[in-house]
């Protein structure tokens, strides 16, 4: 099948290499010419497991192409996926300008029946808007489909090829698009939920908001544990052993971040408002998430005896979670910005996120090549991202580097007893 993907970012690139791997002919389009130039040479533009290998394979087998030209990308396409960003506007709602622009450019070039699939996360009703846009420029037949993406950065390839489910929303009961989409995904063994476009659009927001709710819930429980003898690790484990609850997304910490949860949760709150409904629960989820950043700063202040000014703080982790170089809405970066305002001197290390963090933080902080160089002369070490390598820090080696032995573990990675026994003042989140 001839597929075009518009927007070659985290989702578009992941989907592109996977669809080529499944045997389709895929053209990935992006307006970012630098990105396209790199990808043409087989150079990955993001850090993602299995991506380098599938990218090279797709190019070598002639199944995967990259282009910055709409003419070239749309010419032969049977199915066009929109995978452009839908970032948060300053009022919290979803910004659809990139999707609208992509729809216009695509519509202008349509010459035959094409299935237009929206993979970007968009508010309920966007499918209809895209139809209206396309109809302004193209009078032929086409179908609009909603196919939200559930991949997680860090495991995106695996998530795409082995998803829990594929959700597809159609405009009407009997449209040619239904068979085309089923054929497109036939090699993926996963249940396919077929529904209308609006429900598919809502499923994505509802799923992300529910996961964010789980995170804020366990963070609230951790905050209560901070004030008594209960230990959040055991509490979360005991809760998660109940199959009705499940153990995922029950890790207490400094709150969720990234390019999806904050914007999607906020957009859902706005969608509810626009539909005349005050979504009280999600409002609380957002506020709790903001509070977790404050909570981390309170703990850092406490271990530094009330004053952050001129203290050296080593921050381990800049990406919003482990396994990715993505630093968008990273809790680590939000906390660093607050610490800088309070006069701290920051030296940070991240296995993958430094390049992206530099775009945001510039030279307001120093960057280190390892945890131990970040910790050199530090008054406190703050763990902000759950990279596995931070779990196994050599505490003796850290001690030789640091000026004072304070650790705030924002991800509950270290063994509490071992760390305290080594002579560190230690504060985790609810333990
Ligand atoms: P991204 O910012 O990494 O990539 C978007 C790409 O679109 C960029 O490369 C940009 O240059 C390109 N672009 C913008 N306007 C364009 C246009 N008019 N024509 C062609 N290309 C254009 O974004 P992302 O993280 O891949 O997210 C894309 C969508 O998928 C969003 O709606 C997001 O919410 C959703 N989503 C993301 C994830 C994730 O893990 N990142 C997971 C599920 C869903």
């Amino acid at each position: 099948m001839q597929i075009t993907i518009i927007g070659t970012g985290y989702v578009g690139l992941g989907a592109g290499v996977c669809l080529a791997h499944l045997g389709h002919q895929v053209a990935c389009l992006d307006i970012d010419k630098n990105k396209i130039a790199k990808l043409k040479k087989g150079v990955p533009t993001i850090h993602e497991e299995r991506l380098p290998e599938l990218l090279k394979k797709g190019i070598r087998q002639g199944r995967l192409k990259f282009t910055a030209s709409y003419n070239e990308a749309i010419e032969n396409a049977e199915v066009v996926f929109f995978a452009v960003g839908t970032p948060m506007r300053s009022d919290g709602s979803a910004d659809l300008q990139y999707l609208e622009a992509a729809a216009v450019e695509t519509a202008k070039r349509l010459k035959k029946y094409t299935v237009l699939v929206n993979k970007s996360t968009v508010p309920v009703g966007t499918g209809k808007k895209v139809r209206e846009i396309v109809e302004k420029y193209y009078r032929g037949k086409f179908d609009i489909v909603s196919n939200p993406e559930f991949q997680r950065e860090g495991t995106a390839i695996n998530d795409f090829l082995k998803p829990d489910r594929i959700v597809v929303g159609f405009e009407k009961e009997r449209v040619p698009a239904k068979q085309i989409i089923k054929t497109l995904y036939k090699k993926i063994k996963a249940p396919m939920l077929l529904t209308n476009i609006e429900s598919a659009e809502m499923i994505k927001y509802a799923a992300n908001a529910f996961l964010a709710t789980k995170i804020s819930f366990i963070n609230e429980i951790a905050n209560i544990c901070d004030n008594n003898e209960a230990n959040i690790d055991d509490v979360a484990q005991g809760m998660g052993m109940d199959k009705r609850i499940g153990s995922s997304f029950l890790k207490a910490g400094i709150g969720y971040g990234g390019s999806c949860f904050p914007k999607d949760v906020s957009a859902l709150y706005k969608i509810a408002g626009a539909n005349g409904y005050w979504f009280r629960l999600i409002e609380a989820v957002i506020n709790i998430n903001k509070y977790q950043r404050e909570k981390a700063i309170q703990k850092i202040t406490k271990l530094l005896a009330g004053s952050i000014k001129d203290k050296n703080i080593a921050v381990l982790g800049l990406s919003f979670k482990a396994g990715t170089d993505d630093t968008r809405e990273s809790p680590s970066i939000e906390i660093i910005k607050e610490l800088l305002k309070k006069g701290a001197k920051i030296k940070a290390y991240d296995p993958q996120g430094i390049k992206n963090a530099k775009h945001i933080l510039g030279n307001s902080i120093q960057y280190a090549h390892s945890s131990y160089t970040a910790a050199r002369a530090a008054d406190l070490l703050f763990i902000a991202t759950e990279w596995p390598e931070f779990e196994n820090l050599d505490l003796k080696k850290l001690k030789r580097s640091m000026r004072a032995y304070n650790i705030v573990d924002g991800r509950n990675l270290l063994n509490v007893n071992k760390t305290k026994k080594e002579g560190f003042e230690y504060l985790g989140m609810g333990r």
Side-chain angles (χ1 to χ4, degrees), residues 86 93-96 99 118 120-129 197-198 201-202 205 267-268 271:
T86 48
S93 63
D95 184 349
L96 298 180
L99 178 66
N118 187 25
S120 300
T121 304
V122 292
V124 180
T126 304
K128 278 205 176 85
K129 268 193 202 155
I197 293 206
E198 289 73 13
E201 290 168 341
M202 188 60 136
Y205 278 116
L268 182 56
I271 294 165

Side-chain angles (χ1 to χ4, degrees), residues 358-399:
K358 277 185 180 168
H359 293 307
I360 308 171
L361 294 167
N363 54 13
S364 63
I365 68 166
Q366 283 182 280
Y367 302 90
H369 297 294
S370 74
S371 301
Y372 305 99
T373 47
R376 212 168 274 160
D379 298 295
L380 182 138
L381 182 104
F382 172 51
I383 301 179
T385 310
E386 71 284 20
W387 285 102
E389 69 176 75
F390 301 153
E391 264 174 57
N392 306 309
L393 285 170
D394 180 340
L395 296 172
K396 286 197 169 59
K397 197 170 163 188
L398 265 188
K399 262 185 107 176

Side-chain angles (χ1 to χ4, degrees), residues 255-270:
Y256 59 80
S259 65
C260 288
F261 280 9
K263 83 169 173 62
D264 292 350
V265 166
S266 164
L268 182 56
Y269 181 69
K270 283 280 166 185

